[in-house]
């Protein structure tokens, strides 16, 4: 199975895989951060929007929300979920927008889908160019130095007469600027099991390296990766939420 099959051939399973994700809490938290740090504007773009669950919540919260993703099957589902939003098929490393934006988001570690530091830098430059004065970029990230290769999370869901088991875990070799997201899907119907495995190449960097890329373009604030309460990042966790205000 080709790399990233989950976002193309298997896109209809994506929302099942994410059934445990609290999209309302994530969207609400980022909306609050935007209120605290932003320019009070309502023009929003979600990078790597997938099937559009965050776009849905931002629309419902009164934003003029749009989405961008590189895989058309994901965008097709997003359009059904959010008929009033504009979606475009673009690479987040080199995207363009029609008007300046007040908030750009990138959820579920998707910023790491830039495959290397060069593409990540180009992505940050595109974000910076797309933001209005005082605009905010908000995303979550993982520090390569704190990845535990042994941690592989699994969960099961029953759907339409089939039992699904989804698994995911980070892998970092310990060297270089590349890490991987490993995903597995098993579908059992009437005793027959089909299995798929994806490995997604992603950029790997420490938070210190990430800050070095961000600081020239943005005023950077880091928070604990907790969508229930906003607390400054204490400096030890390997997951964090970054709020970046355009300079
Ligand atoms: C883990 S999913 C996250 C989807 C959504 N943000 C969510 O939270 O459910 C990652 C998404 O990134 C998209 N993606 C991967 N590489 C990309 C790129 N270079 N530019 C834009 N989107 C990309 C995939 O198609 C997929 O929809």
């Amino acid at each position: 199975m080709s790399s990233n099959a989950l976002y193309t051939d298997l896109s209809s399973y994506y929302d099942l895989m994410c059934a445990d994700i609290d999209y309302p809490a994530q969207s609400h938290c980022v909306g609050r951060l935007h209120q605290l740090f932003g320019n009070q504007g309502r023009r929003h773009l979600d990078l790597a929007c997938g099937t559009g669950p965050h776009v849905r919540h931002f629309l419902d919260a009164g934003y003029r929300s749009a989405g961008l993703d590189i895989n058309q099957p994901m965008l097709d589902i997003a359009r059904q979920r959010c008929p009033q939003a504009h979606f475009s098929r673009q690479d987040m490393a080199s995207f363009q927008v029609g008007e300046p934006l007040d908030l750009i988001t990138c959820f579920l570690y998707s910023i790491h889908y830039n495959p290397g530091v060069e593409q990540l830098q180009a992505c940050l430059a595109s974000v910076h160019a797309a933001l209005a004065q005082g605009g905010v970029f908000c995303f979550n990230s993982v520090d390569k130095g704190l990845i535990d290769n042994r941690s592989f999370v699994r969960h099961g869901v029953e759907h339409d007469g089939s039992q699904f088991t989804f698994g995911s875990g980070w892998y970092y070799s310990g060297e270089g600027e590349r890490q991987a997201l490993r995903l597995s899907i098993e579908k059992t119907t009437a005793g027959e099991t089909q299995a798929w495995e994806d490995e997604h190449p992603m950029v790997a960097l420490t938070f210190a390296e990430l800050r070095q890329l961000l600081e020239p373009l943005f005023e950077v604030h880091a928070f604990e990766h907790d969508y229930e309460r906003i607390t400054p990042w204490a400096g030890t966790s390997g997951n964090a939420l970054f709020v970046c205000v355009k300079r």
Side-chain angles (χ1 to χ4, degrees):
M1 180 66 58
S2 67
S3 165
N4 283 352
L6 177 62
Y7 306 135
T8 52
D9 318 4
L10 302 175
S11 59
S12 58
Y13 297 150
Y14 181 79
D15 287 336
L16 266 185
M17 173 157 167
C18 295
D20 288 351
I21 294 179
D22 195 342
Y23 285 109
Q26 293 188 359
S27 308
H28 181 68
C29 173
V30 168
R32 280 168 62 213
L33 286 165
H34 182 227
Q35 266 175 0
L36 291 171
F37 290 96
N39 59 7
Q40 310 309 316
R42 310 301 275 173
R43 296 163 298 183
H44 166 238
L45 172 69
D46 190 30
L47 294 184
C49 65
T51 59
H54 294 103
V55 173
R56 181 68 267 158
H57 289 289
F58 278 96
L59 286 168
D60 294 344
Y63 280 83
R64 195 138 52 78
S65 200
L68 171 164
D69 201 280
I70 205 166
N71 283 306
Q72 191 60 45
M74 299 296 274
L75 290 171
D76 292 343
I77 298 172
R79 275 203 184 96
Q80 284 176 18
R81 176 173 269 142
C82 313
Q84 64 275 64
H86 178 261
F87 291 98
S88 64
R89 183 166 177 264
Q90 297 192 68
D91 186 336
M92 68 179 141
S94 58
F95 71 92
Q96 296 200 329
V97 293
E99 59 173 352
L101 301 165
D102 305 304
L103 173 65
I104 299 181
T105 53
C106 191
F107 287 96
L108 216 55
Y109 303 100
S110 302
I111 188 109
H112 288 273
Y113 273 101
N114 288 292
V117 169
E118 198 181 314
Q119 293 88 343
L120 176 60
Q121 263 183 303
C123 176
L124 297 177
S126 300
V127 168
H128 186 264
L131 283 172
Q133 191 71 28
V136 165
F137 179 39
C138 191
F139 64 95
N140 57 351
S141 179
V142 59
D143 184 316
K144 71 178 181 184
L146 295 168
I147 286 176
D148 179 356
N149 290 336
R150 293 162 306 175
S151 162
F152 195 81
V153 180
R154 283 193 173 77
H155 73 103
V157 190
E158 202 171 321
H159 177 73
D160 216 10
S162 298
Q163 176 64 36
F164 291 83
T165 305
F166 297 101
S168 64
W170 294 115
Y171 177 80
Y172 181 58
S173 70
E175 277 180 29
E177 61 172 62
R178 191 59 67 81
Q179 68 195 36
L181 176 64
R182 292 178 169 171
L183 297 171
S184 70
I185 304 177
E186 275 179 28
K187 179 187 183 192
T188 304
T189 315
E192 282 223 359
T193 300
Q194 287 175 283
W196 299 274
E197 295 204 343
D198 268 6
E199 179 154 324
H200 302 199
M202 293 176 146
V203 67
L205 64 181
T206 63
F207 286 164
E209 290 165 345
L210 177 59
R211 267 187 181 276
Q212 272 188 1
L213 299 182
L214 290 168
E215 293 280 2
L217 303 174
F218 306 97
E219 181 191 301
V220 182
H221 306 269
F223 296 91
E224 288 297 328
H225 195 253
D226 179 349
Y227 292 103
E228 298 299 326
R229 60 196 65 79
I230 294 173
T231 15
W233 182 62
T236 51
S237 158
N239 302 285
L241 198 51
F242 287 88
V243 176
C244 306
V245 185
K246 177 172 170 147
R247 284 195 200 278

